[in-house]
Amino acid sequence: MAMERQERLVTLIISNLRASIAYDQESVTVWDDSVVQVRRGEAASDWLDVNLGSWMHTYFGHDGAYVLDPANRPIYAFSVTPTKAQDAYRLIEPVVAPLVKDLRQRLQAGDTSGVGGRMLSPGAADLMVVQGHPAVVSVKPIVSDSGEIDQIPGQEYLHIAVRYLDGNFINDLKQNYLFEGMRFAWQNNAAEGEVGLPLLSDAGSAVGYFIWRPYRPGSAVLSDLTPLLLGVFGLALLTIAVLLYVIHQRSTKLVASEARMEYLALHDALTGLPNRAKFDDALDEALGKLKQSSDSLAVLYLDIDRFKQVNDTMGHPAGDGLIRSFAERLRELARETDTVARIGGDEFVLVVPCRNAGEEIEPLCNRILASVRQPFDIDGNQVFVSVSIGVSVAPADGMERTELTRKADIALYHAKSAGRGRYARFGNAMDSMLQARRQIERDLRVALARKGELAVHYQPLYSASDMSITGVEALLRWKHPQKGWISPAIFVPIAEETGLIEPLGDFVLREACQAASAWPKLTLSVNVSAIELRNPAFAARVAETLVASGIKPQRLELEVTESALSDHAGQCEENMRALRALGIRFALDDFGTGFSSLGRLQDFEVDRIKIDRSFISGFGKAKGDEAIVQAIVDLAHAKGLKTTAEGVETSEQGDYLKDIGCDELQGFLLSQAVPQAEINSLLGLKGKRGVASAA
Ligand code: C2E
Ligand code: MG
Ligand code: MG
């Protein structure tokens, strides 16, 4: 666009030049003085030179000026290249003649085209080569400005002005219009990056060419902006680089935090050991490998014994400390190929690939047990704990993760119930025992809902001095629809484990109180599990039942066991204190079994001791149980406690117990536990049969 504009500009300047030369001429050709002077011919040459020649040169920059008479003979010539008039004109005559001829014809014909506006007289002009220069040549008649001098049309003197287009003109163009490198050339020899514009005569032939380097505002803008653009580009690059760096940093962090999250998802926060999810994966993987070999694999389930007690008595931070140290010991004992995981509060598991499980597992378990027996240092305290271990082995016990873990868990259960601090290898008998226990639990729930299967029987207690019935002990009975009678020695521990003991205990107490309301002279003994005693609502529930049945609290004696009391002593004591305050009495059942010792008797606030039947059955044998029982009775009396002997089966036993001062007797010799109706008849409520035979 800029180039086209420049070309149009040059064309316009040249056409303006043609008009302005003619206009310049008229300042002297339309003038009476000139008409008069030219008629004087060469005589007026000085005047002509001053007014029509050199003046035009100095004032308008014309390069040549000629005056022709009516016969077209030059009477005056001015040229920047000085020559005599005739000679000078002769040099340009060939090219100028057609213009001169054309003008004279028009003057003769009175053709006034082009006259008007600024232009006062007709004229002829064209582009042509004059004396080796491209030039604008303009021819004008010299006419009167007043009209007072007569002239014959076509016979006027003519003034010719020449203006070269190279030289000064080009320099002016260059300077005034900023045409870079503008030059004139006869041929269009524009170099690369230049343009050539032909100078066309009216006939359309090229007189020559103006050649210049066109103005390119685009590239100028570009070159001006280049540093800025480079700067912006550099800045953009820098920004991108910074962004890339930031993204890289972020993604590195993201990868790290993802890895951290994955670690946290698969590890236990407290010990850093793999958690259950990771253990599952590890075991699956190990079992996968096992399929291709003849090796075996052991799964060890570990559970810290009585961990809850550590937590309860020393606080949770101490419990956490114990877990951490315990985990550390396990890690030390494990080999590179073993997996140690923590899968629950105090539950750990080991996956142990081995050649021969039968030979390797026992020593490993013994090492673990021995290591754990060493005291743990928790906050400066020496803590003694033990661990129980259940073991299952692949492929003997299965090749499936869930099956192996279930069996290790069963073995653990057995290790616990066999007394803790030991390990047990899974055996199929364990499984069926466990299934049987589960079955009992299910059936017991059904029995509780139906009630028809459960009943309470009563075993009388006899005064040793006169053999009268002083009370009864309520004993739970369960007649299973398929299995028949099931001993409470079997289902009570299961009920204790599963929480069913609470509704069971409730049932017994309500039944017994109701029955005992018919036996106002007897005391009522009811067995109470430690699980029930731990429940803070227990005392209130007993009180409620007593009120509902109208039994005086003084008639009720609750039987508790010593070993059960040692756990959770606090909560049990709380209930016992409340119940004692009501007037209810307590008996220590099965005394002499478990951890009982004579020395600890005073720790328990009880009113009676029931001497375990294992002592009574030992009478007459070498162990010397008679002496022990005598010592118990003496000590109890010294403390103001009553004694009852359990499991009296022979009259010798009964006689001996009477002799050493035992207060009450209970046993098959006297009566088994019998239904409520039989107690009624024993008491003579419907006859005196039972008492007579017993006596
Ligand atoms: P226990 O409280 O020591 O009850 C005495 C057990 O000894 C009863 O067994 C009774 O039948 C038995 N027995 C009584 N005299 C003799 C005898 O001369 N020789 C022999 N060999 N045994 C005799 P039972 O009824 O099988 O109860 C077993 C245990 O189950 C009870 O021991 C008691 O600890 C528990 N139990 C029974 N009923 C309940 C209950 O309602 N609640 C709770 N928590 N435990 C109960
Ligand atoms: Mg009892
Ligand atoms: Mg007992």
Side-chain angles (χ1 to χ4, degrees), residues 68-304:
L68 302 184
D69 66 6
N72 289 343
R73 283 179 309 233
I75 60 160
Y76 169 76
F78 166 81
S79 172
V80 283
T81 33
T83 3
K84 274 182 81 183
Q86 282 81 0
D87 297 343
Y89 182 65
R90 206 164 296 129
L91 292 173
I92 69 161
E93 191 179 6
V95 287
V96 175
L99 273 186
V100 171
K101 187 179 166 201
D102 174 49
L103 182 61
R104 282 214 188 277
Q105 278 171 2
R106 283 173 53 206
L107 288 168
Q108 216 167 359
D111 178 358
T112 55
S113 62
V115 180
R118 291 200 319 163
M119 216 51 86
L120 304 170
S121 57
D126 202 356
L127 288 182
M128 57 192 63
V129 180
V130 177
Q131 287 185 289
H133 295 283
V136 175
V137 175
S138 174
V139 186
K140 281 281 184 182
I142 296 171
V143 293
S144 160
D145 60 330
S146 64
E148 283 169 10
I149 303 172
D150 283 333
Q151 283 180 294
I152 302 161
Q155 298 293 307
E156 293 93 342
Y157 280 72
L158 298 179
H159 183 267
I160 301 169
V162 175
R163 177 79 158 95
Y164 295 156
L165 293 179
D166 54 358
N168 282 342
F169 178 76
I170 278 205
N171 286 338
D172 286 353
L173 269 185
K174 262 203 265 189
Q175 272 167 24
N176 296 338
Y177 298 96
L178 304 174
F179 284 92
E180 195 192 336
M182 186 174 251
R183 61 193 159 86
F184 175 81
W186 298 110
Q187 302 298 328
N188 186 358
N189 57 5
E192 169 137 2
E194 288 181 324
V195 284
L197 181 73
L199 302 174
L200 296 178
S201 68
D202 285 351
S205 61
V207 172
Y209 295 85
F210 276 169
I211 292 172
W212 74 93
R213 187 168 296 281
Y215 175 55
R216 291 176 191 272
S219 56
V221 165
L222 195 69
S223 72
D224 280 357
L225 287 182
T226 299
L228 186 70
L229 287 176
L230 280 177
V232 169
F233 185 65
L235 209 67
L237 276 183
L238 194 75
T239 310
I240 289 168
V242 168
L243 284 178
L244 282 177
Y245 177 74
V246 169
I247 288 168
H248 175 74
Q249 290 293 94
R250 293 259 164 97
S251 70
T252 315
K253 263 190 209 155
L254 202 67
V255 167
S257 74
E258 262 173 18
R260 174 95 190 118
M261 269 160 69
E262 194 184 305
Y263 179 87
L264 287 178
L266 293 177
H267 289 82
D268 162 49
L270 183 60
T271 60
L273 288 177
N275 61 12
R276 181 179 283 279
K278 182 140 170 113
F279 155 72
D280 285 352
D281 287 350
L283 184 52
D284 282 339
E285 197 189 314
L287 286 170
K289 279 187 198 154
L290 196 65
K291 284 191 185 119
Q292 286 116 43
S293 76
S294 57
D295 292 351
S296 49
L297 179 102
V299 177
L300 275 63
Y301 254 55
L302 294 89
D303 188 291
I304 302 176

Side-chain angles (χ1 to χ4, degrees), residues 323-344:
I323 292 286
R324 262 197 300 266
S325 313
F326 184 85
E328 203 40 58
R329 284 193 195 176
L330 280 186
R331 233 194 306 242
E332 277 165 21
L333 286 169
R335 297 165 308 172
E336 196 102 316
T337 46
D338 302 345
T339 303
V340 185
R342 180 179 177 219
I343 56 168

Side-chain angles (χ1 to χ4, degrees), residues 473 527 559 589-590 610 612-613 646:
E473 178 179 1
N527 293 284
E559 296 189 8
D589 205 352
D590 304 337
K610 296 190 77 175
D612 192 69
R613 69 165 178 269
E646 291 181 334

